[in-house]
Amino acid sequence: MYNQSKSDSYAAAGVDITAGYKAVELMKKHIARTNTPGVCSDVGGFGGLFELDLNGIQKPVLVSGTDGVGTKLKIAFIMDKHDTIGIDCVAMCVNDVICAGAKPLFFLDYIACGKNVPERIADIVKGVAEGCVQAGAALIGGETAEMPGFYPIDEYDLAGYCTGIVDKSKIIDNKQMKEGDVIIALPSTGVHSNGFSLVRKVFDVENADIKKPMEELGGKSVGEALLTPTKIYVKPILALLEQIKVKGISHITGGGFYENIPRSIPDGLGAKVDKNAVRILPIFDLIAKVGGISERDMFNTFNMGVGMCVIVSPEEAEKAIEILKANGEDAYVIGEVVKSEDKVIL
């Protein structure tokens, strides 16, 4: 298809369009893994097509989210590992969409790089595809932009966009939330994809040896621990929503507990969190120790081991935890909703 497309002048300016075509060929097998019944187009077109299945949905509402990976990419560059960072990109979008109760339908990615190395681009998309599989979303399109002189030759940026669907009557809002409701934590896998500007400063990642095994991290290196992909919570949350009335969901991202939990709680109520109940991961203890960071700042920057919170009535809390555990989440109670003008009480 593209064998006649070649530009010596463009190549002299630093853009190899044939490398782009090779990257597309290499990524096709990864994209194919994400195909769902709604996919109506193949990679390479001008737009991704998706047919909506509205069976059982009275009033469909589309819910969209977009995000990137941020400076976590710097860790991928240093470690020269590019096949998991795409999971982070998908996670940051689908974990937001699921907070409204929406099932992710499809995803698109955008990769901008200094030089298109087809094998590296394919590795990035491999991660994106894996994230889509974990979320049950189809990867129906994307864009790779080679931008010499704008990005360093060995660096790239990655962003994505997701659309999900929910019946209007099933949108999760906080209108029925009340004092005494229970806050349930879903564990994170690590730092996820937020706070990396601070993390990079704490560990001086550009100059220190972040590949060295650390006893505090169970033999993992700082680089390995930091590159652990963001957990995708879509499938266990969807399973929970089928059986339980969920009153609020918070994706714990940048801003930690103090900024994200309040987003699902109405005025006049607050979240009383038992700090002793939070299962803080070793990487956060190490960040606090090396960086001399206060407990308040840690909880206001990182997820601290809690990637997502769901709020349910006390009568359904035990059942909710059982459902989540049956779907692979070691969920546990970290607090309750109280009458308060302070949105978070730690």
Side-chain angles (χ1 to χ4, degrees):
M1 178 179 178
Y2 304 115
N3 60 345
Q4 290 183 305
S5 181
K6 185 176 185 295
S7 171
D8 292 332
S9 298
Y10 213 1
V15 177
D16 182 358
I17 57 178
T18 59
Y21 303 146
K22 182 179 179 182
V24 170
E25 290 302 315
L26 291 174
M27 68 177 71
K28 279 184 176 180
K29 63 182 179 181
H30 303 306
I31 296 171
R33 293 182 59 219
T34 75
N35 282 347
T36 62
V39 177
C40 300
S41 60
D42 198 1
V43 63
F46 288 99
L49 308 181
F50 193 91
E51 181 181 5
L52 288 176
D53 180 2
L54 300 180
N55 287 327
I57 300 178
Q58 298 298 316
K59 292 185 177 181
V61 175
L62 297 179
V63 181
S64 298
T66 186
D67 209 338
V69 184
T71 61
K72 182 172 184 174
L73 288 170
K74 288 284 189 180
I75 311 300
F77 303 156
I78 294 168
M79 299 296 288
D80 194 23
K81 181 173 173 57
H82 310 281
D83 61 351
T84 61
I85 205 76
I87 300 175
D88 292 288
C89 188
V90 175
M92 294 305 293
C93 298
V94 298
N95 284 346
D96 280 354
V97 165
I98 195 65
C99 288
K103 172 182 169 57
L105 296 174
F106 56 81
F107 188 86
L108 293 92
D109 62 9
Y110 175 79
I111 304 167
C113 58
K115 180 177 175 59
N116 188 330
V117 179
E119 292 77 13
R120 185 168 60 202
I121 298 298
D123 264 355
I124 298 168
V125 175
K126 177 183 177 182
V128 173
E130 173 58 29
C132 287
V133 169
Q134 291 182 25
L139 179 56
I140 65 169
E143 170 70 9
T144 301
E146 190 173 17
M147 303 167 65
F150 192 87
Y151 288 96
I153 194 168
D154 290 324
E155 296 191 4
Y156 57 85
D157 198 5
L158 174 64
Y161 163 87
C162 174
T163 292
I165 191 169
V166 62
D167 199 319
K168 190 172 184 178
S169 64
K170 296 181 179 179
I171 294 174
I172 297 174
D173 55 36
N174 54 27
K175 294 177 181 177
Q176 296 183 30
M177 197 176 296
K178 60 183 181 180
E179 183 181 16
D181 285 339
V182 176
I183 304 170
I184 297 173
L186 280 65
S188 72
T189 51
V191 182
H192 283 184
S193 298
N194 297 100
F196 273 85
S197 293
L198 177 56
V199 166
R200 287 168 44 238
K201 180 182 178 182
V202 166
F203 292 119
D204 189 21
V205 299
E206 278 83 5
N207 300 303
D209 181 8
I210 64 170
K211 298 180 180 180
K212 178 183 176 182
M214 299 283 291
E215 184 178 342
E216 297 95 326
L217 300 176
K220 281 187 176 181
S221 69
V222 167
E224 287 175 315
L226 294 178
L227 263 192
T228 304
T230 305
K231 195 166 193 177
I232 292 175
Y233 299 97
V234 170
K235 292 180 179 178
I237 292 294
L238 287 175
L240 182 67
L241 294 176
E242 289 179 359
Q243 302 180 59
I244 295 288
K245 172 61 180 177
V246 175
K247 299 185 178 184
I249 304 179
S250 294
H251 182 200
I252 312 302
T253 55
F257 282 51
Y258 285 98
E259 287 189 22
N260 292 290
I261 296 179
R263 294 168 70 177
S264 65
I265 297 178
D267 292 341
L269 296 175
K272 185 177 182 181
V273 176
D274 180 1
K275 282 187 294 188
N276 294 322
V278 177
R279 300 171 187 172
I280 298 174
L281 296 175
I283 185 64
F284 297 111
D285 290 329
L286 187 61
I287 290 169
K289 177 183 175 183
V290 174
I293 302 171
S294 69
E295 184 181 71
R296 174 64 166 73
D297 283 354
M298 289 296 294
F299 275 92
N300 203 169
T301 307
F302 302 107
N303 69 62
M304 300 302 288
V306 178
M308 186 163 278
C309 290
V310 298
I311 298 176
V312 301
S313 68
E315 295 79 16
E316 294 194 297
E318 185 176 344
K319 184 179 179 182
I321 290 174
E322 289 176 1
I323 294 168
L324 290 166
K325 286 189 173 182
N327 285 274
E329 291 298 327
D330 191 16
Y332 62 99
V333 174
I334 59 167
E336 64 176 339
V337 175
V338 296
K339 286 184 178 180
S340 175
E341 292 304 316
D342 294 325
K343 301 305 293 183
V344 177
I345 304 166
L346 271 166

